[in-house]
């Protein structure tokens, strides 16, 4: 069972890395479309294809993260460490080339950093996710903001949604703020009105629906609560969802 578990984690890690790279490739290709073709109709068609591909890939990333959160956390942590070491190597090369760091010191520091990169091969394949109570400290916009964290802890409650449950509907007034702890939700909305009353645009209303995916750390309904305005999207659970609900 342990051997099978290791192989599954390796597979999930590989799938996540490949899909992440695929999303990045779709983003990069968008900027090259105009160089590929000068015809606006072709550019628009290619852009739509790339956007659809990206959206599908982001959905897969969310599903992988839901199925193997411990694997994804370890992968993201490893990548973050690798990025920090890469930046340190780049800075070391710059300082060394300018004579700010002695040659002998530069060689020793370079050896240490390369050894750190090599040690990542033994990095844990899975890191247990934090508990909902500790999770708040890992969210970027709550980092080092103890007052906000305590506010959430005192007033928020842990809630669970099943697959297919509707969290909120487009056009309704918000009932609360939902901070996603685990799982994935899909947000579907009509085209933006840019402040124009929908009744005045009824004859020209587009059938296009905009789609976005939310995963761990994302928040639903905060702007609508702050502005006391109608929700502009329908949020539906793509997986079993665990949230901190603040009403």
């Amino acid at each position: 069972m342990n051997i099978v578990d290791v192989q599954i984690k390796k597979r999930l890690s590989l799938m996540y890395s490949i899909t992440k790279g695929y999303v990045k490739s779709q983003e990069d290709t968008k900027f090259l479309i105009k160089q590929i073709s000068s015809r606006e109709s072709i550019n628009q068609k290619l852009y739509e294809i790339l956007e659809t591909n990206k959206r599908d890939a982001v959905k897969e990333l969310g599903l992988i993260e839901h199925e193997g959160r411990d694997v994804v956390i370890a992968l993201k942590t490893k990548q973050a460490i690798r990025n920090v070491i890469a930046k340190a190597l780049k800075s070391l090369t710059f300082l060394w080339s300018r004579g700010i760091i002695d040659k002998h010191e530069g060689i020793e520091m370079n050896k240490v950093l390369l050894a750190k990169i090599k040690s990542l091969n033994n990095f844990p394949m899975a890191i247990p996710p934090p508990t909902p109570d500790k999770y708040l400290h890992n969210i970027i916009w709550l980092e080092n903001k103890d007052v906000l964290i305590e506010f959430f802890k005192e007033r928020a409650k842990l809630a669970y949604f099943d697959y297919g449950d509707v969290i909120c509907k487009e056009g309704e007034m918000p009932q609360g703020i939902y901070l996603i702890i685990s799982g994935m939700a899909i947000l579907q909305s009509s085209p933006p009105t840019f402040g124009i009353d929908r009744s005045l645009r009824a004859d020209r209303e587009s059938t296009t629906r905009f789609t976005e995916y939310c995963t761990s750390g994302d928040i639903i309904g905060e702007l609508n609560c702050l502005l006391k305005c109608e929700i502009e999207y329908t949020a539906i659970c793509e997986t079993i969802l665990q949230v901190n609900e603040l009403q």
Side-chain angles (χ1 to χ4, degrees), residues 6-195:
V6 169
Q7 292 301 318
I8 290 173
K9 285 181 169 60
K10 284 183 178 179
R11 184 75 174 179
L12 283 172
S13 179
L14 180 62
M15 286 169 60
Y16 191 87
S17 298
I18 292 173
T19 310
K20 193 81 172 177
Y22 180 77
V23 171
K24 182 66 168 62
S25 71
Q26 299 300 294
E27 282 289 340
D28 292 343
T29 307
K30 283 183 186 178
F31 295 104
L32 300 175
I33 287 178
K34 291 184 178 179
Q35 299 178 29
I36 297 173
S37 172
S38 59
R39 292 184 60 181
E40 188 61 32
S41 58
I42 295 178
N43 292 343
Q44 185 61 33
K45 185 64 177 178
L46 290 173
Y47 184 89
E48 290 174 0
I49 292 172
L50 291 170
E51 190 62 31
T52 301
N53 292 343
K54 177 192 168 186
R55 187 167 61 244
D56 291 342
V58 169
K59 178 182 178 181
E60 290 301 321
L61 285 175
L63 293 173
I64 294 172
E65 188 167 344
H66 174 67
E67 294 296 328
R69 285 190 68 202
D70 52 348
V71 175
V72 174
I73 289 173
L75 196 61
K76 287 181 177 180
T77 303
K78 184 178 179 180
Q79 187 60 51
I81 295 171
R82 193 184 297 276
N83 290 340
V84 170
I85 296 175
K87 288 181 180 179
L89 281 169
K90 188 175 181 180
S91 298
L92 176 62
T93 302
F94 175 79
L95 295 173
W96 192 356
S97 65
R98 296 296 187 276
I100 300 173
I101 292 180
D102 180 71
K103 182 178 180 180
H104 176 71
E105 291 179 347
I107 292 173
E108 291 302 315
M109 291 174 68
N110 191 64
K111 286 181 180 178
V112 171
L113 291 173
L114 291 176
K116 292 290 184 183
I117 292 178
K118 190 175 181 180
S119 68
L120 288 176
N121 294 328
N122 300 320
F123 196 80
M125 197 168 293
I127 298 176
T131 60
D133 186 52
K134 294 181 179 179
Y135 190 83
L136 296 173
H137 295 272
N138 297 330
I139 298 173
I140 295 175
W141 53 273
L142 285 177
E143 191 176 358
N144 299 323
K145 296 179 181 177
D146 295 334
V147 176
L148 283 176
I149 291 173
E150 288 303 317
F151 179 83
F152 261 92
K153 286 182 179 179
E154 291 173 4
R155 307 204 179 193
K157 65 178 182 179
L158 204 58
Y160 295 88
F161 293 92
D162 203 354
Y163 169 78
D165 285 353
V166 177
I167 302 172
C168 56
K169 290 185 178 180
E170 184 177 357
E172 292 182 348
M173 291 303 294
Q175 300 299 314
I177 296 174
Y178 304 92
L179 174 62
I180 299 177
I181 302 298
S182 66
M184 182 173 66
I186 180 173
L187 306 184
Q188 295 179 334
S189 62
S190 303
T193 60
F194 302 106

Side-chain angles (χ1 to χ4, degrees), residues 167 180 183-187 212-215 220 235-238 241:
I167 302 172
I180 299 177
M184 182 173 66
I186 180 173
L187 306 184
E212 186 179 348
Y213 292 95
C214 292
T215 56
I220 298 173
I236 305 172
C237 298
E238 278 286 301
L241 205 67

